[in-house]
Amino acid sequence: DKANYRHFMAKEIHEQPEVVGHTLARYVDMGTERVMLPARLPFDFNDIQRISITACGTASYAGFVAKYWFERFARVPVELDVASEFRYREAPLRKGDLAIFISQSGETADTLAALRYAKSQGAHTLSVVNVPTSTIARESEIVMPTLAGPEIGVASTKAFTCQLMVLAALAIAAGRGRGELSEADEAKLVHGLVEVPRLIAAALTTEPQIEKLAREIAKSKDVLYLGRGTSYPLALEGALKLKEISYIHAEGYAAGELKHGPIALIDETMPVVVIAPYDRVFEKTVSNMQEVAARGGNIILMTDAKGAEEATVESLVTIIMPDMAATFTPIVYAIPVQLLAYHTAVVMGTDVDQPRNLAKSVTVE
Ligand code: F6R
């Protein structure tokens, strides 16, 4: 049932304050401001020398964001792979290390095969899944469910933000377990997480502006997405979302990689979406924007009020996001990224919920 929405994707985008809130309530004790994992872990984070994260598509970008969080909060090295590569390259896993798998459907063939491989190597397996009865959930040693509810649109939206919420909680737990986060650090991070559902609701109010912008984007043949730090995986996600539902070619790049090749593509016909909350790498991203502007590129800047004030570059459109702690911006900036893909696809007249050549659950390799 699409409620009053034209597409499931629109409905699922708008459900995010609620379902991310449900997921938060499952993993965080608001009273004590501590993370609480639903299951007792069969290992000690202190014994984990390395974490591997494996998934496909959008789920892999959630894992990519989580890599930054695990490394920052818990100082544990994280290796990230797409499942189709991980399963065949026979990655050396140490017995007792932690292997995390992320999947909305819990049935993705490559992710399942990667899970079976990790098990065969003696790793602890933990899956973040949206379908609790799925094969990946059943075969994992530890299951951390996302409470997104059924996701019908082929393009993953609410599952992604719920995956990020679960992974943030897990990364905080890892930081605590390894003694890298004090109680006060943890409380501060939990505070930040608790704000996220409200911030997502605020981010949804950018929709009319994005709808207008989508009419411009729909005229383009190619779109470039740039980001640094945790905004980099989000740039990859933005490009994936746009290409899969609007069929407009898009690429996501680490902003710092621009001058190593993709800058050659920039002209007045290629919009450049820059995801840049005002954080510790903001100034660096501004200099990349200057490089784009100097070549006549049209910049669409997603930032907050402070960023808009400090960005010394002319942008075509600036999407002002709510002020928030820098750590969890990817969960909130996912909203304008999803809305831009959605409205562009609507303008293009594509089948938004059932894009050509794609299946919701990829059970063949
Ligand atoms: C993109 C998308 C796909 C899935 C990928 C993994 O919007 O939906 O990239 O994220 O096929 O699927 P799951 O999460 O079911 O393993």
Side-chain angles (χ1 to χ4, degrees):
D1 170 27
K2 287 184 238 176
N4 288 322
Y5 292 98
R6 231 172 117 183
H7 300 99
F8 280 109
M9 186 179 177
K11 174 176 175 256
E12 289 162 2
I13 289 174
H14 283 268
E15 275 171 2
Q16 290 176 105
E18 193 189 332
V19 296
V20 170
H22 286 161
T23 305
L24 170 80
R26 170 74 72 96
Y27 290 92
V28 154
D29 183 327
M30 315 270 189
T32 59
E33 294 184 322
R34 299 199 78 179
V35 164
M36 47 171 197
L37 300 184
R40 233 193 101 73
L41 300 177
F43 56 81
D44 187 329
F45 272 113
N46 270 317
D47 299 332
I48 303 289
Q49 310 230 336
R50 207 179 57 170
I51 295 177
S52 78
I53 302 183
T54 307
C56 300
T58 290
S60 77
Y61 299 141
F64 200 169
V65 171
K67 171 184 164 83
Y68 286 80
W69 287 337
F70 277 110
E71 294 189 347
R72 193 174 311 153
F73 304 162
R75 308 296 308 156
V76 57
V78 174
E79 232 181 292
L80 177 88
D81 277 280
V82 289
S84 52
E85 288 301 317
F86 181 83
R87 64 178 290 195
Y88 293 116
R89 81 183 161 89
E90 296 178 3
L93 291 177
R94 268 177 35 123
K95 195 172 172 324
D97 268 354
L98 175 60
I100 299 175
F101 302 87
I102 309 164
S103 176
Q104 187 286 127
S105 63
E107 301 296 346
T108 301
D110 282 323
T111 310
L112 176 60
L115 164 71
R116 288 177 177 160
Y117 169 76
K119 263 172 108 169
S120 75
Q121 300 297 298
H124 290 292
T125 57
L126 183 156
S127 64
V128 177
V129 288
N130 197 43
V131 180
T133 53
S134 61
T135 314
I136 289 176
R138 280 195 321 257
E139 295 196 13
S140 303
E141 192 182 355
I142 310 138
V143 183
M144 295 188 52
T146 46
L147 306 184
E151 192 179 65
I152 311 291
V154 162
S156 185
T157 53
K158 61 177 182 169
F160 176 68
T161 46
C162 288
Q163 284 159 356
L164 289 174
M165 186 48 94
V166 173
L167 291 162
L170 186 62
I172 295 170
R176 179 175 79 203
R178 293 169 68 83
E180 295 288 343
L181 295 177
S182 67
E183 240 175 74
D185 295 333
E186 179 175 358
K188 197 163 158 228
L189 288 169
V190 168
H191 252 309
L193 272 186
V194 169
E195 290 292 301
V196 166
R198 179 185 66 76
L199 293 163
I200 291 178
L204 284 166
T205 65
T206 61
E207 188 160 19
Q209 193 191 5
I210 291 182
E211 210 173 332
K212 220 169 110 208
L213 168 64
R215 283 180 231 137
E216 295 306 310
I217 298 287
K219 294 176 193 155
S220 323
K221 273 193 64 181
D222 311 274
V223 180
L224 190 61
Y225 284 76
L226 299 178
R228 267 180 195 264
T230 49
S231 299
Y232 166 39
L234 204 54
L236 298 174
E237 167 63 2
L240 173 63
K241 211 101 295 178
L242 188 73
K243 56 192 148 188
E244 73 172 322
I245 59 169
S246 75
Y247 315 148
I248 293 172
H249 170 241
E251 289 198 58
Y253 259 95
E257 276 289 294
L258 183 69
K259 58 169 85 59
H260 300 286
I263 198 163
L265 294 168
I266 291 183
D267 62 18
E268 10 355 281
T269 67
M270 190 172 68
V272 181
V273 178
V274 180
I275 305 166
Y278 190 76
D279 58 16
R280 55 185 180 170
V281 288
F282 179 78
E283 288 305 326
K284 300 281 167 203
T285 308
V286 169
S287 49
N288 302 127
M289 285 195 326
Q290 280 158 347
E291 293 157 6
V292 172
R295 285 153 188 91
N298 288 314
I299 295 166
I300 293 135
L301 175 61
M302 297 180 177
T303 189
D304 44 40
K306 180 88 175 134
E309 195 186 302
E310 299 286 322
T312 47
V313 186
E314 191 79 23
S315 59
L316 179 68
V317 176
T318 304
I319 313 278
I320 306 281
M321 297 291 289
D323 283 327
M324 63 177 293
T327 315
F328 300 117
T329 50
I331 322 182
V332 178
Y333 282 63
I335 307 306
V337 160
Q338 296 166 351
L339 286 171
L340 185 57
Y342 172 72
H343 285 291
T344 305
V346 170
V347 174
M348 299 298 282
T350 57
D351 189 347
V352 172
D353 285 332
Q354 292 281 325
R356 67 185 182 202
N357 312 337
L358 284 167
K360 182 65 183 159
S361 176
V362 185
T363 52
V364 291
E365 63 168 289

